[in-house]
Amino acid sequence: MAAAAAAAFFFFAISLHAELGLGCYTSIFSFGASVADTGNFLILTGNSSLAGRLPYGETFFHHPTGRFSDGRLIIDFIAQAMGLPLVKPYLGGGGAEDFRHGANFAVAGATALDVDYFLSRGIENLSSNNSLSVQLRWFEQLLPSLCSSASDCAAFLSNVLFSVGQIGANDYNFPFFQNRSVGEIATFVPDVVSAIGSAIEILIEMGARTMVVPGSFPMGCCAVYLNIFQGEKQESYDPQTGCINWLNDFAIRHNRLLVAELQRLRRRHPEVAIMYSDVYHAAMAIYASPPRLRLNATVPCGSEANSVCSDPSKKIWWDGLHTTEAANRIIAGGLLGPYTVPPISQDCPDVNREVDGFHDGDGHMASAIKPMGTCRKSSDGR
């Protein structure tokens, strides 16, 4: 594991430091895609979103909330570990008071790069045009309602935690799903990283002083990719994890370029705390000794052709691309522990480093679930 790795996709949590004395920041504003979306895509699309129908949301909320999981996301577990309420989706609306302690701008399907980038390359049918730059504009539109002057905004933003991601996965997912070659998609990586870096620069110019930037998940362990590339030769798979090596190498390349970009930004802005989230290794901790099981993930969860597994707590994948509440709990525990540099406990000494009974990143609880299985299975039993 890279020593410089910092884990904090978790920092989507809102802080109520002034009111509760438990948080470390007065507010948090997060940007990203489906792994962090707490309802924006559902608000945009209504009933057309699968995340607006059961069984999505069944485990914890007992009704769909727009989260792409059976229950809570990593952001939810981190908020709860800090003794805070769950973060609200920005598109849910409300007045300034509703967002004074933060807002979630993440939208399922969002890309780091603007849609025109993909259209110019013949890549179409993107599920969202709410790219990172669009989400930044939403924040810019919201900010005047939260602070009234330059000095007021400077004071307000100095106590805000920004999470720039998890984003970038869809910049690769859409072309992979449209059968573009890995060689072509690899040329997108510098541009994706540059878009993330530009977003950070904009936030810094607006007054941001603390932010976390998550890297890529291990793509080669993703159920939908294991299904798409199931014809791979045996040597393409990691014998310990069952993940596809070349896809994980692709994710690692993204992460290395991102770390280099963050190092450049730190040198340019020494007054800003910029943390890297090692989501890759936090997730890989679950794959220590997985069964060699790769279930069909081509039928969307919630469709008529699917039936839910009896116990989502035993699976890592809820649908082809999104993890179960059980997996999110484990990853959040890791992010609260050893996958953050500096440790979150350094800034949040009162944070609960055990997430709902799952230990913080030591992997002891990971054996309770089966990494290669999807919870939502097609009706033919695959």
Side-chain angles (χ1 to χ4, degrees):
M1 179 177 62
F9 160 12
F10 62 96
F11 279 120
F12 297 120
I14 352 174
S15 172
L16 298 180
H17 176 73
E19 290 79 358
L20 301 179
L22 292 175
C24 309
Y25 310 95
T26 57
S27 310
I28 179 160
F29 296 96
S30 62
F31 308 84
S34 57
V35 295
D37 185 354
T38 56
N40 286 315
F41 188 75
L42 176 61
I43 293 165
L44 283 170
T45 61
N47 291 335
S48 64
S49 172
L50 288 174
R53 313 173 201 168
L54 286 171
Y56 282 89
E58 67 174 14
T59 296
F60 179 78
F61 302 99
H62 308 299
H63 63 87
T65 65
R67 289 166 172 81
F68 283 79
S69 182
D70 61 309
R72 289 164 288 184
L73 306 179
I74 295 174
I75 176 176
D76 298 317
F77 282 111
I78 301 304
Q80 291 181 325
M82 298 179 74
L84 308 175
L86 305 185
V87 64
K88 296 180 180 179
Y90 168 71
L91 295 180
E97 287 304 315
D98 294 307
F99 297 117
R100 184 160 297 279
H101 296 295
N104 189 342
F105 301 97
V107 182
T111 52
L113 294 162
D114 289 334
V115 173
D116 287 347
Y117 179 94
F118 300 99
L119 295 179
S120 68
R121 290 159 175 77
I123 299 169
E124 301 178 344
N125 301 318
L126 277 68
S127 62
S128 172
N129 63 357
N130 300 300
S131 63
L132 186 52
S133 64
V134 173
Q135 296 177 32
L136 287 171
R137 286 198 295 273
W138 291 342
F139 171 69
E140 188 174 13
Q141 292 165 6
L142 175 65
L143 187 58
S145 69
L146 301 175
C147 51
S148 57
S149 67
S151 59
D152 185 25
C153 286
F156 174 72
L157 293 175
S158 67
N159 294 311
V160 169
L161 183 63
F162 290 87
S163 179
V164 187
Q166 202 267 338
I167 197 157
N170 290 320
D171 298 69
Y172 311 132
N173 289 338
F174 289 120
F176 269 123
F177 296 163
Q178 295 181 30
N179 298 316
R180 298 303 180 97
S181 71
V182 64
E184 178 187 5
I185 301 170
T187 66
F188 301 171
V189 178
D191 296 327
V192 171
V193 170
S194 178
I196 296 171
S198 295
I200 294 171
E201 291 271 18
I202 291 171
L203 289 171
I204 292 173
E205 290 174 5
M206 295 176 69
R209 289 298 175 265
T210 307
M211 62 186 67
V212 293
V213 187
S216 172
F217 279 83
M219 296 170 62
C221 303
C222 181
V224 71
Y225 280 114
L226 287 167
N227 181 77
I228 291 173
F229 296 106
Q230 61 183 303
E232 293 282 292
K233 296 180 179 179
Q234 191 65 33
E235 54 266 30
S236 297
Y237 297 96
D238 184 298
Q240 181 181 5
T241 65
C243 303
I244 299 176
N245 288 321
W246 65 267
L247 274 166
N248 276 356
D249 289 342
F250 187 98
I252 289 170
R253 179 171 186 263
H254 168 94
N255 290 343
R256 284 175 176 166
L257 290 180
L258 180 60
V259 167
E261 174 68 2
L262 298 185
Q263 290 172 338
R264 183 189 70 82
L265 291 169
R266 291 187 191 106
R267 291 191 296 268
R268 181 176 171 83
H269 302 283
E271 76 285 3
V272 180
I274 303 174
M275 294 170 280
Y276 170 69
S277 301
D278 187 11
V279 179
Y280 182 98
H281 287 97
M284 284 299 291
I286 303 176
Y287 294 88
S289 301
R292 296 301 300 276
L293 177 64
R294 289 183 280 274
L295 299 183
N296 185 293
T298 60
V299 182
C301 173
S303 68
E304 293 182 0
N306 261 269
S307 60
V308 70
C309 64
S310 60
D311 188 358
S313 69
K314 301 300 183 184
K315 299 288 186 179
I316 185 171
W317 294 105
W318 171 244
D319 56 20
L321 280 171
H322 306 103
T323 43
T324 61
E325 176 176 284
N328 291 333
R329 181 189 295 118
I330 293 173
I331 294 171
L335 297 177
L336 286 165
Y339 299 100
T340 301
V341 179
I344 187 173
S345 58
Q346 178 173 308
D347 291 326
C348 299
D350 295 323
V351 69
N352 179 7
R353 293 186 63 190
E354 289 192 5
V355 179
D356 204 12
F358 278 71
H359 300 299
D360 58 34
D362 57 13
H364 291 167
M365 300 301 291
S367 61
I369 63 176
K370 298 179 180 180
M372 291 305 174
T374 53
C375 184
R376 295 290 292 159
K377 298 187 288 186
S378 57
S379 56
D380 64 1
R382 287 182 294 172

